[in-house]
Amino acid sequence: MDTRGGRLSLVRGGAAQEFTVTLRNGNSADHRHLLVAFQMEVLVGEPGDRPGSGPGFLLERFDPASGAWRPAELRVANDTRPLSLYTGGGPLAREAVRVERYRLRATAGGPTGSTPVVVSFVDTDTDREAAAHVLLGHSTG
C-alpha cells in the first residue's frame, strides 16, 4: 500500500485521495483470479459530530486500458464477508508484480470518524486469502 502521508485524511464533499496497491506473487503458484477487496467498519464519530446520510464513500479503480476511473466495491460493515461470496479479479503469474491505482472520496452527506480500510487479497478460484490483509489508516472530517 502506498499513499501520500501513509494514510487517507478525507473531508466530506472534498477531493478524492489516491493510493496504490502493489501485488507481488513471489514463489507461489499462478493466480487466475486475484481480487483486491476493500472493507471498513461503520464510522463512529466523536461527540458532537453529525451523523451521515447517503452512501458515505466512493471508491474507484483506475482502468489503464481506457484511461478512466471506474467504480470499485467498498464494503462498509462491522462483520466479515465470507470469502466464497467474492468474484472476479485478474491474473497474477508466479514472480509477477501488478500495481493497481485507487482513489477514495467522502461524499458530502457521509459520516465522520476514523477507522482503517481493510485491504484483502482474495483468490476467488479457491475462496482463500492469497496473503494476509493490510490496513490503510483513514479518517474523515
Side-chain angles (χ1 to χ4, degrees):
M1 299 284 304
D2 187 33
T3 185
R4 187 170 298 178
R7 63 179 290 112
L8 299 175
S9 297
L10 304 177
V11 175
R12 290 194 310 184
Q17 290 187 5
E18 288 189 39
F19 61 97
T20 58
V21 176
T22 302
L23 302 145
R24 290 181 178 87
N25 195 353
N27 298 346
S28 65
D30 294 343
H31 293 283
R32 291 184 322 124
H33 297 100
L34 186 61
L35 177 72
V36 180
F38 300 89
Q39 179 172 324
M40 77 165 85
E41 291 190 352
V42 176
L43 291 181
V44 178
E46 298 294 321
D49 282 351
R50 295 175 300 160
S53 63
F57 298 95
L58 174 62
L59 178 68
E60 296 175 301
R61 180 180 182 275
F62 185 74
D63 177 13
S66 67
W69 290 97
R70 306 274 187 221
E73 182 180 0
L74 170 65
R75 185 170 189 264
V76 179
N78 290 353
D79 62 351
T80 302
R81 183 178 190 179
L83 296 176
S84 62
L85 296 180
Y86 288 100
T87 60
L92 188 64
R94 185 180 346 211
E95 303 295 332
V97 176
R98 183 173 80 218
V99 178
E100 297 185 5
R101 290 177 54 198
Y102 294 90
R103 66 182 182 187
L104 183 64
R105 174 187 340 264
T107 62
T112 59
S114 180
T115 188
V117 178
V118 178
V119 183
S120 301
F121 309 97
V122 181
D123 181 332
T124 59
D125 291 331
T126 63
D127 298 334
R128 294 184 182 182
E129 281 192 279
H133 65 266
V134 296
L135 302 178
L136 174 59
H138 155 259
S139 63
T140 297

